Amino acid sequence: MTPDQYCENKAAQSGSSFYYSFRFLPLQTRLAITALYAFCREVDDVVDETHDEGVARTTLNWWRSEVGNLYDGTPQHPVTRALQPHVGRLQLPREQLLQIIDGMEMDLTQARYNAFADLREYCYLVASVVGLLSARIFGVTDERTYQYAEKLGLAFQLTNIIRDVGEDARRGRIYLPVEELQRFNVPAADLLACRETPEFTALMQFQIERAESLYAEALAALPAADRKAQRAGLVMAAIYRATLDEIKRDGPAKVLNQRLSLTPVRKLWLAWKTWWFA
């Protein structure tokens, strides 16, 4: 298996919305973004699948060293070997790959966020940085495109948080800010016990509205000159926004006890429609 095949398999196995957005890209762009996505999955899996915190930290430190190997021209892992042809060609910043690792590491020690500003910092590391790297891979001619990418990454991560509230709570993680839980009179115990209440519904409606506003801000910030190059990001936005719409339609409180996901056929349809008509 070649490094590119390894990354392709990693992306396909995830069933992620990102995978569907890559289908229509030119070959070299698709190889680069798939390698970046596989890197994110590898690092995320360290935190999600390693139950010993010490082992997880050691593994994340290995990945930091491997990023160094990548930029020194001696990568060892299939993912970094797949990334190697693209880091120089596209001038992918080393520090941004390291920031992604830093963000994933936060999940080892931080399970609560006091205010939205604190949560936003986490989202920047694990999602907005990925958006900035992705935008660079797709092609940027106007610096304002990076503002679009940063906001879109935040909107994606907030959508994930909304969708996965119940699943995260069962792992002992609550990403919804403590200040907002208190404002809407939702005790953390309700989330941990997966209790659907009118107060929780109101809280989730507030979260959905904020994510919707961020999608609108991101799309408004995308310069017309880069819209065609950034179509893969627009595909992801279409799929994520459809997921958010389904949560709203189904009843926001239900995220505590079920994880909503669009079917592969619907994702593919949204990808095709957005690619050709965005």
Side-chain angles (χ1 to χ4, degrees):
M1 185 183 296
T2 68
D4 288 329
Q5 288 170 336
Y6 178 94
C7 294
E8 179 76 16
N9 288 348
K10 190 80 176 176
Q13 288 167 7
S14 73
S16 166
S17 302
F18 288 80
Y19 177 73
Y20 292 89
S21 72
F22 305 160
R23 296 298 80 206
F24 307 105
L25 288 167
L27 178 61
Q28 287 304 308
T29 306
R30 179 161 56 85
L31 292 176
I33 194 66
T34 302
L36 173 64
Y37 177 76
F39 172 82
C40 296
R41 286 260 41 93
E42 290 284 350
V43 177
D44 190 38
D45 288 347
V46 171
V47 175
D48 286 346
E49 298 178 6
T50 306
H51 302 294
D52 185 308
E53 182 182 326
V55 172
R57 288 192 185 280
T58 298
T59 306
L60 290 176
N61 283 332
W62 181 89
W63 274 105
R64 289 187 177 96
S65 298
E66 181 62 2
V67 169
N69 292 336
L70 168 62
Y71 283 85
D72 290 341
T74 59
Q76 302 172 32
H77 195 278
V79 165
T80 44
R81 287 166 59 199
L83 271 172
Q84 186 179 17
H86 310 293
V87 292
R89 177 176 65 85
L90 298 168
Q91 297 183 312
L92 303 180
R94 178 198 306 231
E95 61 271 21
Q96 290 185 338
L97 292 177
L98 294 174
Q99 283 179 314
I100 293 170
I101 299 174
D102 292 342
M104 301 300 183
E105 190 170 30
M106 288 177 68
D107 277 332
L108 294 177
T109 55
Q110 188 161 355
R112 301 284 196 282
Y113 293 87
N114 287 326
F116 180 66
D118 303 317
L119 178 64
R120 187 168 191 148
E121 180 181 351
Y122 165 78
C123 292
Y124 176 81
L125 293 174
V126 300
S128 290
V129 171
V130 180
L132 294 171
L133 284 164
S134 299
R136 186 180 291 269
I137 289 171
F138 299 146
V140 173
T141 62
D142 187 322
E143 290 294 310
R144 290 176 298 172
T145 297
Y146 291 119
Q147 298 173 24
Y148 144 83
E150 183 178 335
K151 282 184 179 290
L152 193 61
L154 175 59
F156 287 163
Q157 189 63 24
L158 293 181
T159 302
N160 286 339
I161 288 170
I162 291 165
R163 182 195 63 195
D164 298 340
V165 164
E167 185 177 302
D168 287 334
R170 287 186 282 277
R171 293 179 176 178
R173 297 177 187 168
I174 298 176
Y175 292 99
L176 303 178
V178 172
E179 288 183 356
E180 292 171 9
L181 292 173
Q182 294 172 344
R183 190 192 316 165
F184 285 88
N185 297 313
V186 177
D190 280 2
L191 272 66
L192 297 172
C194 297
R195 282 192 286 268
E196 299 179 17
T197 65
E199 292 80 8
F200 178 72
T201 297
L203 171 65
M204 295 313 294
Q205 287 172 338
F206 172 77
Q207 304 298 323
I208 289 170
E209 288 169 6
R210 177 161 56 202
E212 289 175 333
S213 294
L214 282 163
Y215 282 116
E217 290 174 20
L219 296 176
L222 178 60
D226 284 342
R227 188 174 179 86
K228 184 175 181 180
Q230 298 295 322
R231 281 183 297 179
L234 297 176
V235 167
M236 288 185 272
I239 294 172
Y240 268 72
R241 293 178 86 180
T243 300
L244 206 58
D245 288 343
E246 286 295 322
I247 292 170
K248 188 195 304 189
R249 188 177 302 115
D250 202 38
K254 292 186 179 179
V255 293
L256 277 174
N257 293 292
Q258 64 184 37
R259 186 181 189 274
L260 188 144
S261 180
L262 303 182
T263 66
V265 170
R266 186 170 179 195
K267 288 180 181 179
L268 192 59
W269 164 246
L270 285 168
W272 180 87
K273 182 173 71 170
T274 305
W275 184 266
W276 290 110
F277 297 105

